[in-house]
Amino acid sequence: MTENTVPSRLQFRLRGFIEHESTDDFLQGANDEVYMSAVGLDSSSVKKGADGKPTVGLIHAPQIGDVSDNAVRGPWATNPHVLIDFDLQQPGDWPRTYTVTLFIVEHDNGDLAKAFEVLNEQVGQKIRTAVVAAASSAAAGLAGAAVGSAIPGIGTVVGFAVGVLAGAAYDGIITAIDEGLSDDVFVPVSLTLTAEDFLLTGTQSDVGVQKSLEVKQHGGHYTIFYDWNMVSVAAPDGVGFPTLSLHSQGPAVRKLQQLLNGHVPDLPSLAVDGDFGPVTDGRVREYQRRVEITVDGVVGPQTWGMLTGGEVSQEAAVGTPTLQQGAHGPAVRKVQRLLNAHVPDLHQLAVDGRFGPVTDGRVREFQGRVAIVVDGIVGPQTWGHLTQ
């Protein structure tokens, strides 16, 4: 990602395939043909349905093969094959997970199309069931989501739920295909990438690095080479998210100053003049302190990420823990925002993530107004009134 671009897509790409040993025995003759496909899951595609329950959108890749044929796999070294293509700009909170479940079939005399049809249908249903259960367990996120929108706070939970689906979870499906369709169907393998933040996706250690997967089943042995590739596009505003610091100038600084004014409304507004001087530097450091990231005055991917959705995503994902004076972090910021909305006739609280005496006093004021126990503790009852 360059200074004037933004992340657009995350691709799971095949880069090579080595057949060490096939499943054929001497009675079957020549090596079988090997075909692959996959199903992809973006945790932000798990949305709240009209019935209040999670719905799951999956991406189904078309089959490709014979991947043991040099004419198919050879070009991948210089032109990797995009098996699954995820939209990074899909609405939703962060962190989120991207999971690819690989299907491998050694084709002998069976109905290849039927094998993949059954895999997509039945494995897809296993994945949906696991994801719905995981998303439903995040009661706070599900309750707070609007119908049709991504359920917040479930990214890593969903990725884990799919990742643990292996072996016994798929045994019945694989056995039925093997017996009924006369092809060797390998147990599906899931690979997951966790993306902490929209703008940080391209900087993660697993992105842009070739990796290998060893597959040994049915007496066959293959090595699959793959990578996660991020695709960027020109920033809509022509500015993007360049790294900024003291003495920087120009439209990117004006963009930064506008964002800081929106995120730190309790302090005097910065002049939107495109000059990164000492006042802007101080405001950047104050914002970094509030959102608990490195306080260095440098506006890089982490700070830009928090300013452009990461801060709100943190608060959505944190749930409704019990809080009281002395607490700090995104849950406190969430309470402070809600208190400002519910008690607009008093001066705005600083949304600084610090539960100090001023926030304590505002909690007590709010509790008194809604006629609940006035103790300064934000527990289930107070959260309930704040979020209704």
Side-chain angles (χ1 to χ4, degrees), residues 95 102 109 134 166 187 224 237 254 257 262 273 328-329:
L102 294 174
N109 300 312
V187 174
I224 300 168
D237 60 5
R254 290 196 295 273
Q257 291 166 329
D273 58 7
H328 64 89

PDB file of all heavy atoms in Angstrom, residues 95 102 109 134 166 187 224 237 254 257 262 273 328-329:
ATOM      1  N   PRO A  95     -11.083  -6.395  15.131  1.00  0.00           N
ATOM      2  CA  PRO A  95     -10.468  -7.296  14.144  1.00  0.00           C
ATOM      3  C   PRO A  95     -11.499  -8.198  13.503  1.00  0.00           C
ATOM      4  O   PRO A  95     -12.578  -8.427  14.054  1.00  0.00           O
ATOM      5  CB  PRO A  95      -9.473  -8.097  14.978  1.00  0.00           C
ATOM      6  CG  PRO A  95     -10.063  -8.106  16.354  1.00  0.00           C
ATOM      7  CD  PRO A  95     -10.716  -6.763  16.521  1.00  0.00           C
ATOM      8  N   LEU A 102     -10.173 -25.459   2.251  1.00  0.00           N
ATOM      9  CA  LEU A 102      -9.761 -26.072   0.986  1.00  0.00           C
ATOM     10  C   LEU A 102     -10.402 -27.439   0.784  1.00  0.00           C
ATOM     11  O   LEU A 102     -10.459 -28.254   1.709  1.00  0.00           O
ATOM     12  CB  LEU A 102      -8.240 -26.226   0.951  1.00  0.00           C
ATOM     13  CG  LEU A 102      -7.405 -24.946   0.922  1.00  0.00           C
ATOM     14  CD1 LEU A 102      -5.926 -25.294   1.037  1.00  0.00           C
ATOM     15  CD2 LEU A 102      -7.663 -24.176  -0.365  1.00  0.00           C
ATOM     16  N   ASN A 109     -12.685 -42.596 -10.982  1.00  0.00           N
ATOM     17  CA  ASN A 109     -13.797 -42.976 -11.859  1.00  0.00           C
ATOM     18  C   ASN A 109     -15.123 -42.377 -11.409  1.00  0.00           C
ATOM     19  O   ASN A 109     -16.173 -42.749 -11.921  1.00  0.00           O
ATOM     20  CB  ASN A 109     -13.931 -44.503 -11.897  1.00  0.00           C
ATOM     21  CG  ASN A 109     -12.674 -45.172 -12.409  1.00  0.00           C
ATOM     22  OD1 ASN A 109     -12.137 -44.757 -13.434  1.00  0.00           O
ATOM     23  ND2 ASN A 109     -12.187 -46.187 -11.695  1.00  0.00           N
ATOM     24  N   ALA A 134     -21.354 -19.710  17.289  1.00  0.00           N
ATOM     25  CA  ALA A 134     -20.339 -18.809  17.852  1.00  0.00           C
ATOM     26  C   ALA A 134     -20.863 -17.380  17.927  1.00  0.00           C
ATOM     27  O   ALA A 134     -20.674 -16.681  18.929  1.00  0.00           O
ATOM     28  CB  ALA A 134     -19.069 -18.866  17.001  1.00  0.00           C
ATOM     29  N   ALA A 166     -12.619 -29.971  11.922  1.00  0.00           N
ATOM     30  CA  ALA A 166     -11.718 -30.860  11.190  1.00  0.00           C
ATOM     31  C   ALA A 166     -11.961 -32.281  11.654  1.00  0.00           C
ATOM     32  O   ALA A 166     -12.669 -32.517  12.639  1.00  0.00           O
ATOM     33  CB  ALA A 166     -10.259 -30.453  11.423  1.00  0.00           C
ATOM     34  N   VAL A 187     -10.025 -34.741   3.605  1.00  0.00           N
ATOM     35  CA  VAL A 187     -10.672 -33.968   4.661  1.00  0.00           C
ATOM     36  C   VAL A 187     -10.382 -32.481   4.439  1.00  0.00           C
ATOM     37  O   VAL A 187      -9.222 -32.096   4.267  1.00  0.00           O
ATOM     38  CB  VAL A 187     -10.167 -34.398   6.055  1.00  0.00           C
ATOM     39  CG1 VAL A 187     -10.735 -33.484   7.142  1.00  0.00           C
ATOM     40  CG2 VAL A 187     -10.537 -35.850   6.331  1.00  0.00           C
ATOM     41  N   ILE A 224       1.078 -27.887  -0.973  1.00  0.00           N
ATOM     42  CA  ILE A 224       0.392 -26.765  -1.614  1.00  0.00           C
ATOM     43  C   ILE A 224       1.068 -25.472  -1.159  1.00  0.00           C
ATOM     44  O   ILE A 224       1.229 -25.232   0.042  1.00  0.00           O
ATOM     45  CB  ILE A 224      -1.094 -26.734  -1.228  1.00  0.00           C
ATOM     46  CG1 ILE A 224      -1.786 -28.029  -1.667  1.00  0.00           C
ATOM     47  CG2 ILE A 224      -1.790 -25.518  -1.844  1.00  0.00           C
ATOM     48  CD1 ILE A 224      -3.169 -28.209  -1.071  1.00  0.00           C
ATOM     49  N   ASP A 237     -10.213  10.072  -1.901  1.00  0.00           N
ATOM     50  CA  ASP A 237      -9.971  11.508  -1.728  1.00  0.00           C
ATOM     51  C   ASP A 237      -8.649  11.953  -2.337  1.00  0.00           C
ATOM     52  O   ASP A 237      -8.277  13.120  -2.237  1.00  0.00           O
ATOM     53  CB  ASP A 237     -10.026  11.894  -0.249  1.00  0.00           C
ATOM     54  CG  ASP A 237      -8.989  11.163   0.584  1.00  0.00           C
ATOM     55  OD1 ASP A 237      -8.151  10.422   0.021  1.00  0.00           O
ATOM     56  OD2 ASP A 237      -9.003  11.332   1.824  1.00  0.00           O
ATOM     57  N   ARG A 254      -4.555  18.345   6.702  1.00  0.00           N
ATOM     58  CA  ARG A 254      -5.904  18.887   6.886  1.00  0.00           C
ATOM     59  C   ARG A 254      -6.897  17.760   7.184  1.00  0.00           C
ATOM     60  O   ARG A 254      -7.769  17.900   8.055  1.00  0.00           O
ATOM     61  CB  ARG A 254      -6.339  19.667   5.638  1.00  0.00           C
ATOM     62  CG  ARG A 254      -5.591  20.978   5.422  1.00  0.00           C
ATOM     63  CD  ARG A 254      -6.305  21.880   4.441  1.00  0.00           C
ATOM     64  NE  ARG A 254      -6.354  21.302   3.101  1.00  0.00           N
ATOM     65  CZ  ARG A 254      -5.387  21.458   2.198  1.00  0.00           C
ATOM     66  NH1 ARG A 254      -4.293  22.148   2.493  1.00  0.00           N
ATOM     67  NH2 ARG A 254      -5.502  20.927   1.005  1.00  0.00           N
ATOM     68  N   GLN A 257      -6.383  16.765  10.781  1.00  0.00           N
ATOM     69  CA  GLN A 257      -6.920  17.749  11.720  1.00  0.00           C
ATOM     70  C   GLN A 257      -8.443  17.665  11.820  1.00  0.00           C
ATOM     71  O   GLN A 257      -9.013  17.782  12.908  1.00  0.00           O
ATOM     72  CB  GLN A 257      -6.469  19.147  11.297  1.00  0.00           C
ATOM     73  CG  GLN A 257      -4.959  19.362  11.490  1.00  0.00           C
ATOM     74  CD  GLN A 257      -4.428  20.595  10.764  1.00  0.00           C
ATOM     75  OE1 GLN A 257      -4.938  20.984   9.709  1.00  0.00           O
ATOM     76  NE2 GLN A 257      -3.384  21.202  11.320  1.00  0.00           N
ATOM     77  N   GLY A 262     -13.090  15.707  15.204  1.00  0.00           N
ATOM     78  CA  GLY A 262     -14.252  14.866  15.413  1.00  0.00           C
ATOM     79  C   GLY A 262     -14.082  13.874  16.544  1.00  0.00           C
ATOM     80  O   GLY A 262     -15.053  13.538  17.233  1.00  0.00           O
ATOM     81  N   ASP A 273      -5.588  23.819   8.875  1.00  0.00           N
ATOM     82  CA  ASP A 273      -4.753  24.650   8.013  1.00  0.00           C
ATOM     83  C   ASP A 273      -3.684  23.861   7.261  1.00  0.00           C
ATOM     84  O   ASP A 273      -2.879  24.444   6.524  1.00  0.00           O
ATOM     85  CB  ASP A 273      -4.100  25.757   8.833  1.00  0.00           C
ATOM     86  CG  ASP A 273      -3.250  25.218   9.992  1.00  0.00           C
ATOM     87  OD1 ASP A 273      -3.066  23.983  10.086  1.00  0.00           O
ATOM     88  OD2 ASP A 273      -2.784  26.043  10.808  1.00  0.00           O
ATOM     89  N   HIS A 328     -10.194   1.693  32.835  1.00  0.00           N
ATOM     90  CA  HIS A 328      -9.758   2.442  31.654  1.00  0.00           C
ATOM     91  C   HIS A 328      -9.875   1.552  30.426  1.00  0.00           C
ATOM     92  O   HIS A 328     -10.028   0.328  30.538  1.00  0.00           O
ATOM     93  CB  HIS A 328      -8.306   2.922  31.816  1.00  0.00           C
ATOM     94  CG  HIS A 328      -7.307   1.803  31.916  1.00  0.00           C
ATOM     95  ND1 HIS A 328      -6.696   1.232  30.833  1.00  0.00           N
ATOM     96  CD2 HIS A 328      -6.843   1.123  33.001  1.00  0.00           C
ATOM     97  CE1 HIS A 328      -5.883   0.272  31.224  1.00  0.00           C
ATOM     98  NE2 HIS A 328      -5.950   0.181  32.542  1.00  0.00           N
ATOM     99  N   GLY A 329      -9.838   2.164  29.246  1.00  0.00           N
ATOM    100  CA  GLY A 329      -9.883   1.407  28.009  1.00  0.00           C
ATOM    101  C   GLY A 329     -11.121   1.678  27.177  1.00  0.00           C
ATOM    102  O   GLY A 329     -11.918   2.574  27.464  1.00  0.00           O
TER     103      GLY A 329
END
